[in-house]
Amino acid sequence: MKIIYHCYGGAHSSVTAAAVHLGWLPTDHIPGSDEIKAIPYFDRPVTSDHGRLQFMGNDEFGNDIYVIGRRNAARIFENMAIGMAQIYGFCPEQLVLVNVMPYVNWKMVIGGFTSRRLGFTAIGRPVVTAGVKSAYWKIVSIVNRIKVCTASGNTGELMQAN
Amino acid sequence: MKVFFICRSGHHTSVIAAFLYLGRLTGTKINRKDIFSLPGFDEIDFRETGRPFFAGADHSGTEVYTIGALSYGSLLKKAANEMIQLFNGNTADWQVIDTSSCVSRWTVWGLRTKRLHLRFLAKAFFCLGARKETRRLAGLLKTIDN
């Protein structure tokens, strides 16, 4: 199964969700700033990386975990991905697209913009990290839901909920 | 081989490009009847934007699709290439062509008026847009073939 977490830039919320999914971040307490900053690709992608699929790793069930930044084209991206899966004969139940944007807060938006778009990493990164901490339990909850649904093979319900 | 044409709606500029590619539209001067008789032309559902539309296949078996991307043409081109690579492996038997540069402002106005349910006006704009775009698309396809 291929699980794709997508958000605006593929740099913060989706990367954090993928890290939680892969067990790189704890699910029993909020991680420290250093732990968050140590996630591969966290606050690294730039504008030219938007639309590029990034493989993050395999989870304990053997699922491939990816992240992608798709700006504000969530529905367009999802329609395209599902359509491509159908064209290439890939079982739609084997593809899970998770929009992480509903869990993004204003700190992540402002911090992400400052760090990635304006290039003021020293100012933006602490703000976005604080934002990730604020949104952490929401991100953990969606990842847990994804894990439960994919493990039970209930991905159809998951796609409808998304 | 599969060819994907990307434009704003996936049912205007890219449809003309697809039929030019398939050889079912010849010449750069087309009339209103030709334009609106193209399968899929202006059959847009804004909720389905992004979903590939099968335009047809040529004699060599090349399948041609169109994709709507609104103003995210270059982003979706990159994402489409990535998704195809994910599903298809490393074989290079596909091509994603962004026709956004050929989109006429008449077509853009057509889409705006269509959103406002002004269908008659939208059709007039699409017709004007298609006439302008056909020459540009023929030029674009020449550069691709070469």
Side-chain angles (χ1 to χ4, degrees):
Chain A
M1 190 176 289
K2 296 184 193 302
I3 301 169
I4 302 173
Y5 289 98
H6 59 93
C7 65
Y8 183 91
H12 305 110
S13 54
S14 57
V15 169
T16 307
V20 171
H21 192 120
L22 291 164
W24 297 345
L25 289 176
T27 51
D28 56 348
H29 66 272
I30 296 174
S33 299
D34 291 338
E35 276 180 279
I36 294 169
K37 285 176 194 168
I39 307 168
Y41 308 112
F42 182 82
D43 201 36
R44 294 290 189 283
V46 289
T47 310
S48 59
D49 293 321
H50 291 173
R52 198 156 285 154
L53 201 61
Q54 193 63 58
F55 178 68
M56 294 294 281
N58 293 102
D59 68 3
E60 61 268 43
F61 304 109
N63 301 318
D64 298 337
I65 310 298
Y66 298 87
V67 298
I68 192 168
R70 42 69 183 157
R71 290 189 208 152
N72 288 322
R75 186 183 281 177
I76 299 170
F77 168 72
E78 289 190 350
N79 283 340
M80 184 273 293
I82 293 165
M84 288 296 184
Q86 287 168 346
I87 289 168
Y88 283 96
F90 190 84
C91 180
E93 277 102 49
Q94 292 293 306
L95 177 70
V96 178
L97 301 163
V98 188
N99 184 6
V100 199
M101 277 309 280
Y103 312 99
V104 170
N105 54 38
W106 65 269
K107 283 184 197 170
M108 292 171 80
V109 173
I110 292 171
F113 180 78
T114 313
S115 174
R116 297 295 86 208
R117 181 65 72 87
L118 301 180
F120 301 136
T121 310
I123 302 165
R125 195 166 288 176
V127 179
V128 80
T129 309
V132 168
K133 285 181 185 173
S134 302
Y136 195 69
W137 294 122
K138 288 179 184 171
I139 294 171
V140 169
S141 75
I142 180 69
V143 171
N144 282 339
R145 210 171 96 217
I146 299 292
K147 279 188 149 184
V148 168
C149 289
T150 51
S152 63
N154 210 356
T155 53
E157 200 175 289
L158 197 66
M159 292 301 278
Q160 278 178 353
N162 259 326
Chain B
M1 172 87 172
K2 289 177 174 57
V3 179
F4 300 88
F5 286 101
I6 293 176
C7 75
R8 285 182 86 99
S9 66
H11 287 276
H12 297 100
T13 316
S14 56
V15 169
I16 297 169
F19 285 101
L20 279 170
Y21 184 89
L22 289 167
R24 289 182 207 168
L25 262 183
T26 49
T28 51
K29 280 195 175 179
I30 51 171
N31 58 35
R32 189 187 170 92
K33 200 182 162 193
D34 290 336
I35 295 163
F36 285 98
S37 65
L38 293 175
F41 188 86
D42 200 26
E43 288 172 15
I44 183 172
D45 177 356
F46 286 106
R47 287 166 301 179
E48 292 291 307
T49 306
R51 195 173 285 270
F53 165 77
F54 179 66
D58 68 6
H59 56 277
S60 63
T62 302
E63 294 175 18
V64 181
Y65 296 85
T66 66
I67 302 175
L70 298 185
S71 55
Y72 303 99
S74 59
L75 174 98
L76 212 75
K77 182 183 175 180
K78 216 184 287 178
N81 275 314
E82 295 278 334
M83 296 309 294
I84 296 167
Q85 210 162 351
L86 186 69
F87 299 132
N88 197 31
N90 287 324
T91 55
D93 63 340
W94 81 85
Q95 210 172 357
V96 182
I97 301 157
D98 184 12
T99 63
S100 303
S101 60
C102 300
V103 174
S104 154
R105 59 184 155 171
W106 293 113
T107 302
V108 177
W109 276 106
L111 289 168
R112 284 175 188 161
T113 47
K114 180 132 187 164
R115 275 190 191 274
L116 297 170
H117 304 286
L118 302 169
R119 285 180 193 166
F120 181 76
L121 201 58
K123 279 196 171 189
F125 284 142
F126 288 138
C127 193
L128 280 167
R131 283 179 185 167
K132 292 247 178 204
E133 288 161 3
T134 311
R135 198 173 299 135
R136 294 180 198 168
L137 288 167
L140 178 79
L141 291 175
K142 259 183 207 165
T143 61
I144 290 158
D145 288 338
N146 292 334

